[in-house]
Every structure is written in structure tokens, then in C-alpha cells.
Amino acid sequence: MRRYLGLGFGALLILIIALAVYGGREETRLAQAQASLRAQSVGDAAAIYVENCAVCHGAEGEGLGATPPLNSEGLRTADYDTLFKVIARGRYATPMAAWHQDEGGILTDY
Ligand code: HEC
């Protein structure tokens, strides 16, 4: 009986230590996963930009001709919703088309 109690206690101790080690590494794992997801998103966005937007806004967002630049301080600090709506819905009666699938475009929420 005492032997089983000792074994059970030992197993519990191992479990507690293993959980503590796993929990300690979780923050690093999360940070790495977020960084990798961000790199993936930025890469995908760059490809979409080059394929669809650069023809008017320039390869570096500098704006071509009458098309406004996108690498401006105003847009850099614009809030997410405003940017999303401009790109999704476009600007009425200008060459800036609606890009979201819901608006007849080709891009998804992603
Ligand atoms: C056919 C040319 C053309 C293409 C392609 C194009 N745009 Fe535009 N875009 C414009 C024009 C012109 C405007 C300015 C509209 C206006 O007068 O308000 C504009 C405006 C914008 C604005 C608002 C700029 C501001 O200062 O208010 C954003 C953001 C934008 N475009 C993003 C994009 C993105 C992202 C893509 C690709 C998915 C894209 N555009 C593709 C022509 C284009």
C-alpha cells in the first residue's frame, strides 16, 4: 500500500514539473507562431499588392501620375476600418475599383 502511495506521489510530482516546463515555454512558442503568421501575411499582401495595385499606386506605393501615393503618413496612421472600406468598396466615380468579393471584386477578407 505504501509503495503505491509513493509511486502515485512520484508520478504526480513528475506531472507537475512537466506542466511547469511546458507552461514556461508556451510564451516563446506563441511569440514565434505570431511572428511567423505575420511574416506569412506580409508576404501574401506584398504579392497581392504587386499583382493588383502597383500598376496604379507604384511598386513602392509612391503613386503614379494622378493616382495618390499609399506610403503617406496619413494612410500609415489611418485606422483599420477606414482602410478596409476604401479597398473593399473603392471610391465612387474614380479609377479606384471595389476589390472585395462582396462588392464585385476579387479579394477576400484575408
Ligand atoms: C486603376 C488604378 C488603381 C488600382 C489598380 C488601384 N487603385 Fe487605389 N486608388 C486609385 C485612385 C485613382 C485613387 C484615388 C481615388 C480618389 O480620388 O479618391 C485610389 C485610392 C486608394 C486609396 C485611398 C488613398 C487615400 O489617400 O485616400 C487606397 C488605400 C487605395 N487606393 C488602395 C489600393 C489597393 C490596396 C489596391 C489594390 C488592391 C488599389 N488601390 C488598386 C487607383 C487605383
Side-chain angles (χ1 to χ4, degrees), residues 1-61:
M1 185 67 185
R2 268 186 92 87
R3 199 170 139 229
Y4 288 123
L5 210 68
L7 271 176
F9 185 72
L12 185 67
L13 211 64
I14 288 172
L15 212 68
I16 289 171
I17 291 169
L19 270 177
V21 169
Y22 181 77
R25 293 179 51 196
E26 184 62 4
E27 219 163 277
T28 316
R29 193 192 66 79
L30 263 179
Q32 282 170 348
Q34 278 175 341
S36 133
L37 196 67
R38 187 179 165 81
Q40 167 84 44
S41 300
V42 169
D44 289 350
I48 289 171
Y49 181 84
V50 168
E51 281 171 20
N52 302 291
C53 322
V55 66
C56 290
H57 290 287
E60 294 177 15

Side-chain angles (χ1 to χ4, degrees), residues 52-53 55-57 67-70 75 83 86-87 91 94-96 99 107:
N52 302 291
C53 322
V55 66
C56 290
H57 290 287
T67 308
L70 299 181
L75 286 180
L83 279 178
V86 171
I87 298 166
R91 288 260 170 86
T94 73
M96 177 62 185
W99 289 93
L107 301 182

Side-chain angles (χ1 to χ4, degrees), residues 92-107:
Y92 182 71
T94 73
M96 177 62 185
W99 289 93
H100 197 280
Q101 285 180 338
D102 290 350
E103 308 289 336
I106 54 168
L107 301 182

